[in-house]
Amino acid sequence: NAEYMGKLMCLVMGHDHDCDLHASSLRRMKQASAVDLSTLYVKPKTKGPTRHLFVANAGAALGVQEHALSSLLSQFGDIEQLFLGPKHYSYVSFASAEHAARALEHLHEKDPNSTPLLHQLGFNRKLSLRYCDFVGGGQSKNVHPIAESVCAPIDFSKEGDMKRIETPVPDLLVMYNFLTVEEEKRLMENIDAHEWGSKLKRRVQHYGYAFDYLKLSVDTQKRIGELPDFFDFLLDRLVAQGVCPFRPDQITINEYLPGTGIGSHVDTHSPFEDGIVTVSLLAPIVMDFRHVREHRSGDTPEETETASLEKAIEKHSVVLPNRSVASFLGASRYSWEHGIASRKTDTINGCVWPRDRRVSITLRRGKKTTCTCAYTHWCDTQNPASLDLPTRL
């Protein structure tokens, strides 16, 4: 029922509060009619392609999650906004008509080649897509009569007590309000005073050791200098609060502008110790987590053959507000992929949020010995074939 789904969505999104409010919001969503969505999207006035698509068989009533639909559609182009409908359909706006045409061509129900991709991402129904026009007016932050009627807003600019947040991802430690507003401001002033590198789709800075994006590694024999002292208070707090079991010696800073993401990946095992930390600054983000079930030696061929692909891939989305910290330990470090979808909005607690500039500080410690972890299926030392070098940075 609506109340149960509200509480479930709170847990999936990483919240342990406001669940009753969110369940109430979902009850209102259940009462919303198709008229709400028609205020945003309508049938196209011309026969030619548009950059907007109606997507049937992909709504919340069918168990479809926003991050899964976004992961699927973003493979065909940049998404500007995505509306997961409460019933059996959704709407998406791409950056261009070319991107929308590519998605329609590859995902339409009449294309037999779409089945493997849909199954891989946990969809057990064929999708039906067709063009439409967006009439909501303005950018995504100015629309959403439906979003306003169902969301439970959160004020991420408000300072509060440091708080640990439970998530469905094993061994992932998330803490809200890890920094004060003033500390966030000072960090950003110092970071922006340093030179940004622009070889990737996003700007980056490196301290301690330079990160090699092509090899997904660092050379611990080639240090590029000591960590700047404006990070000292952060390093001390990470250890004091038990967020990180050691003092990091390598820092990578990434800038994410609206529409920018990073491909789903597991940080390479061999270069870094168990414990990778990300601190978010300036704006919240939804991070997607994905775990693919490995084939264990005890499984029979029949069990493997009949295993549901939907069950083989476990997926969750976790909200990381600005001034929060996420620590990847154990399973979340070694066997769960994490990534950020390339889009300009996120759905947080039922609200569609326009993205803003976000800066992340990733802290690691270089490993000088080979990896002997228990997650051999994903370990580049014990299973070199597992190392999947990036095609999207």
Side-chain angles (χ1 to χ4, degrees):
N1 59 30
E3 184 175 0
Y4 170 79
M5 287 300 296
K7 292 183 178 180
L8 179 61
M9 288 181 70
C10 284
L11 293 174
V12 169
M13 296 303 291
H15 297 288
D16 62 350
H17 59 284
D18 291 339
C19 284
D20 291 337
L21 177 59
H22 192 60
S24 175
S25 298
L26 279 173
R27 284 194 289 271
R28 292 195 299 273
M29 179 173 68
K30 186 177 181 181
Q31 296 165 0
S33 67
V35 177
D36 290 315
L37 285 176
S38 69
T39 63
L40 302 181
Y41 290 91
V42 297
K43 292 182 179 179
K45 296 180 180 179
T46 62
K47 292 186 178 180
T50 72
R51 62 188 185 92
H52 313 288
L53 291 176
F54 168 86
V55 187
N57 290 334
L62 298 175
V64 174
Q65 295 184 0
E66 190 264 353
H67 73 87
L69 186 58
S70 176
S71 296
L72 175 67
L73 295 172
S74 62
Q75 299 187 44
F76 305 101
D78 295 330
I79 295 175
E80 285 201 346
Q81 56 191 15
L82 174 64
F83 294 89
L84 180 68
K87 298 182 180 179
H88 301 81
Y89 54 87
S90 298
Y91 291 91
V92 60
S93 295
F94 284 94
S96 71
E98 180 184 357
H99 294 171
R102 192 182 305 150
L104 189 146
E105 176 186 356
H106 290 282
L107 291 177
H108 197 271
E109 59 184 340
K110 294 182 180 179
D111 182 2
N113 296 320
S114 67
T115 302
L117 178 60
L118 291 169
H119 282 178
Q120 181 184 0
L121 290 171
F123 289 84
N124 54 14
R125 292 177 176 84
K126 285 279 193 175
L127 301 185
S128 179
L129 293 82
R130 58 178 181 266
Y131 294 114
C132 58
D133 282 333
F134 178 70
V135 295
Q139 298 299 315
S140 59
K141 63 182 179 181
N142 297 322
V143 294
H144 317 163
I146 188 168
E148 291 172 359
S149 68
V150 303
C151 73
I154 301 171
D155 185 0
F156 289 116
S157 66
K158 185 177 180 181
E159 196 168 286
D161 296 332
M162 192 182 303
K163 183 178 183 181
R164 179 167 179 164
I165 303 298
E166 297 298 326
T167 79
V169 180
D171 301 328
L172 177 68
L173 189 158
V174 175
M175 295 185 73
Y176 286 5
N177 296 306
F178 193 73
L179 300 174
T180 67
V181 172
E182 182 60 31
E183 288 168 342
E184 177 186 43
K185 180 182 177 182
R186 288 204 312 268
L187 278 172
M188 282 308 312
E189 288 174 348
N190 282 289
I191 289 170
D192 278 333
H194 286 68
E195 183 179 357
W196 287 93
S198 55
K199 293 182 179 180
L200 305 179
K201 293 181 180 179
R202 59 187 183 277
R203 297 197 302 170
V204 298
Q205 295 181 19
H206 299 288
Y207 300 99
Y209 302 101
F211 188 83
D212 187 332
Y213 287 95
L214 295 179
K215 297 180 180 178
L216 298 177
S217 183
V218 294
D219 186 347
T220 55
Q221 304 303 314
K222 296 181 179 180
R223 193 159 179 82
I224 59 174
E226 298 302 315
L227 303 183
D229 56 11
F230 63 82
F231 288 121
D232 283 348
F233 84 94
L234 177 59
L235 299 174
D236 291 341
R237 188 173 301 170
L238 290 173
V239 176
Q241 292 292 332
V243 173
C244 194
F246 46 74
R247 192 176 178 87
D249 62 6
Q250 192 274 338
I251 293 177
T252 295
I253 300 178
N254 288 281
E255 178 190 56
Y256 294 91
L257 299 178
T260 305
I262 185 170
S264 186
H265 65 285
V266 174
D267 282 76
T268 314
H269 288 203
S270 58
F272 309 111
E273 298 286 357
D274 182 7
I276 295 179
V277 175
T278 293
V279 177
S280 295
L281 305 175
L282 297 183
I285 199 72
V286 172
M287 183 170 285
D288 299 324
F289 291 82
R290 181 175 182 267
H291 183 264
V292 181
R293 178 178 177 270
E294 62 175 311
H295 172 64
R296 302 182 184 279
S297 58
D299 293 343
T300 67
E302 292 77 12
E303 290 172 335
T304 303
E305 181 67 26
T306 58
S308 166
L309 284 169
E310 192 171 357
K311 293 181 179 179
I313 302 176
E314 185 178 352
K315 294 170 287 186
H316 299 287
S317 291
V318 176
V319 179
L320 301 179
N322 52 307
R323 297 183 288 106
S324 70
V325 64
S327 181
F328 300 77
L329 299 158
S332 66
R333 154 74 175 102
Y334 287 127
S335 66
W336 278 73
E337 295 179 3
H338 62 278
I340 298 172
S342 298
R343 58 183 181 238
K344 294 187 177 181
T345 63
D346 281 318
T347 301
I348 301 177
N349 219 31
C351 301
V352 178
W353 288 71
R355 286 188 182 175
D356 207 337
R357 183 193 184 205
R358 173 181 175 264
V359 171
S360 70
I361 306 174
T362 301
L363 305 100
R364 313 175 179 93
R365 187 165 78 177
K367 184 191 296 236
K368 296 180 173 61
T369 59
T370 58
C371 183
T372 58
C373 71
Y375 304 89
T376 57
H377 181 79
W378 297 271
C379 182
D380 62 303
T381 299
Q382 302 173 76
N383 179 21
S386 68
L387 183 58
D388 186 14
L389 294 178
T391 57
R392 174 185 164 206
L393 298 177

